[in-house]
Amino acid sequence: MCARPNMSAERIPQILKASLIVFSASGLSETRMEDISAEAGLSKATLYLYFKNKDELILALLSDLLDRGRAALELSAAEERPVRQTLLDWVDRTTGELTETAAYSHLGLEFLALGARNDQAKSMLGAYFTAYMDAMAQLFRKGIATGEFRPVDAVQSAKSLISILEGMHLLWLACGPGVDLEVDSHAAVCALLDGFDSGLR
């Protein structure tokens, strides 16, 4: 008898993509596993082969989204360009992607709320934001070392940058047309970086 082929590499991304669509449309609490199986074009029985319940699927989706974000941070931190331009290009790219996927944006708030009551989600979010701060602090240290930025506290600077971006994201979600996420985020980060400029560029 031939061994059953392992379909995880194909099925799991298919399920996660479907769950992102359905969770974004209906919310974490209202979505049913059968809704996700229907969106994925799979039977419920097949879905349960990969995820034993909705909670497990939610955490898998959160992990996948955070892994993608972490990979983008690592790429930016590794770039060999002036730090100011690296940061501004990363801000523009990130806010552009958020604008293009606006239908999914409120799901991030649900994940943050989940972190307040689920220890595993809290740990995952904490690890992501720690990596976020580390990557940004690494860029600020690089800018200081090259003379692009005046000596500043790199960790505090990273926290300030992240606070601006996360706060702007919340304003955008709350105010809609009153906030242009891409333009306003770029302007706010420019203002922050202007304060760090060594004057030697």
Side-chain angles (χ1 to χ4, degrees), residues 42-79:
L42 302 171
S43 68
K44 274 182 65 178
T46 299
L47 179 59
Y48 280 110
L49 288 174
Y50 296 95
F51 299 99
K52 64 183 180 182
N53 55 46
K54 188 173 75 169
D55 289 343
E56 185 177 284
L57 179 50
I58 288 171
L59 291 174
L61 177 60
L62 175 59
S63 177
D64 181 66
L65 294 173
L66 294 179
D67 283 348
R68 290 191 221 173
R70 193 176 291 112
L73 288 171
E74 290 169 357
L75 284 173
S76 293
E79 289 185 13

